[in-house]
Amino acid sequence: MYNSIHNTVIIGKKVIYLPSCHSTNDIAAEIVQAGLFDEGTVVITDHQVNGRGQRGASWNAAPGENLTFSVILSPTFLTVANQFVLSQAVGLSVCAYYKQYIGDVRVKWPNDVYINKKKAVGILIENSVKGQSLNHSILGIGLNINQERFPDARATSLFLETGRKFNLQEEFVKIGQLIDRYYITIQSTSAIPDLQAEYLDNLHGYGVANKFLINGTMHDGIVTGVTQAGKMMVELTDTSETREFGLKEIQWVWD
Ligand code: BTN
């Protein structure tokens, strides 16, 4: 059971708790379709049986051990060209959430969050557009909290990193308050440069040598930034050229 979130302006004033559902993003989309909702409404479940991930993948989380929810927003203040700011804000909220408990937390472009080089969260943002601006946005977030085992060796949870178990209701309030704070921040255009600087400060691989797979070939490179459209800029050390990459155009090679 989850209650509404206190001390927020927008997020979680209304919380819809479903013990089990197919996908909180799909339920949120149905609510948006129906047309009557308050911005910031959260759909949260203990057991998501058909969770969806990025690029058509599925998202599996052990029932009752994690936070699995979607937030409905109306970020009409963002143009389509600026929509990556919302991803950055969500990534930074989650980063700030885990940093309360643990040191090595990084945003991995575009909006994953890794603890000690292992994935701790899944974020699926689904936007609808009206004219040049965003109309609605569904932030789907799966935070790994108390799960003890993962089939994927590069996944982790707060439990695995700290050895502690956490109260999910209390953690839900904390992440809701952080998303609220960052969402309010991006509504003021004057705050965007600072947010972007914070994103780079927390960005995995920023300014350091990494290996990447590009079109099946291994390259050495240094992440030098992120464009307004959300592409990652990498200086390829073999050719000394800086190129911009979309999600499907580059892969990290982990050491
Ligand atoms: C990823 O592939 O990393 C993104 C996973 C996103 C999972 C969350 S869990 C809550 C919300 N509902 C879904 O069906 N997916 C998102």
Side-chain angles (χ1 to χ4, degrees):
M1 183 65 196
Y2 292 87
N3 298 316
S4 59
I5 303 176
H6 55 85
N7 290 339
T8 56
V9 180
I10 295 174
I11 310 296
K13 297 285 131 208
K14 181 166 182 199
V15 173
I16 300 169
Y17 165 66
L18 303 168
S20 164
C21 75
H22 44 105
S23 153
T24 55
N25 264 39
D26 290 347
I27 305 277
E30 286 163 21
I31 292 170
V32 169
Q33 279 292 313
L36 259 189
F37 63 90
D38 296 321
E39 182 173 29
T41 295
V42 178
V43 181
I44 183 162
T45 189
D46 287 330
H47 185 194
Q48 186 171 245
V49 296
N50 193 19
R52 292 190 292 107
Q54 294 161 13
R55 285 168 278 171
S58 56
W59 179 258
N60 300 305
E65 296 183 12
N66 301 298
L67 285 172
T68 305
F69 63 95
S70 300
V71 185
I72 302 173
L73 296 175
S74 308
T76 51
F77 57 90
L78 284 178
T79 61
V80 175
N82 283 334
Q83 62 183 301
F84 187 61
V85 165
L86 184 59
S87 286
Q88 291 176 301
V90 176
L92 286 173
S93 332
V94 173
C95 203
Y97 167 75
Y98 284 121
K99 277 188 170 179
Q100 298 174 103
Y101 304 111
I102 203 116
D104 185 7
V105 184
R106 311 292 289 166
V107 182
K108 185 171 151 292
W109 174 85
N111 61 2
D112 281 328
V113 173
Y114 275 53
I115 306 177
N116 293 325
K117 297 192 177 166
K118 291 183 173 180
K119 179 162 164 147
V121 63
I123 299 172
L124 180 65
I125 301 180
E126 297 183 302
N127 293 326
S128 68
V129 168
K130 194 173 184 182
Q132 300 298 307
S133 299
L134 295 192
N135 191 21
H136 300 301
S137 186
I138 296 171
L139 312 182
I141 302 179
L143 288 178
N144 295 342
I145 306 284
N146 289 327
Q147 190 164 333
E148 295 183 11
R149 268 176 288 277
F150 291 90
D152 180 351
R154 205 161 274 289
T156 194
S157 68
L158 207 44
F159 167 75
L160 288 175
E161 299 300 324
T162 63
R164 285 172 53 198
K165 290 276 178 164
F166 291 80
N167 176 301
L168 291 178
Q169 283 81 6
E170 287 172 14
E171 300 315 300
F172 175 57
V173 170
K174 289 178 191 165
I175 183 65
Q177 290 173 341
L178 282 162
I179 296 170
D180 192 71
R181 198 179 88 202
Y182 278 91
Y183 187 58
I184 300 294
T185 301
I186 60 170
Q187 302 200 17
S188 142
T189 36
S190 62
I192 303 299
D194 280 354
L195 180 106
Q196 278 162 348
E198 187 181 339
Y199 184 82
L200 293 182
D201 269 354
N202 286 281
L203 185 62
H204 170 71
Y206 180 62
V208 293
N210 278 280
K211 289 200 182 303
F212 298 96
L213 204 57
I214 302 164
N215 287 331
T217 308
M218 190 93 92
H219 291 266
D220 290 310
I222 297 173
V223 178
T224 55
V226 175
T227 67
Q228 189 192 11
K231 291 196 164 190
M232 182 167 68
M233 297 191 293
V234 179
E235 184 189 324
L236 299 170
T237 32
D238 33 5
T239 57
S240 294
E241 54 165 354
T242 297
R243 283 173 51 192
E244 298 174 3
F245 295 93
L247 193 55
K248 294 178 185 158
E249 296 164 352
I250 189 163
Q251 261 178 284
W252 293 91
V253 177
W254 295 94
D255 33 65

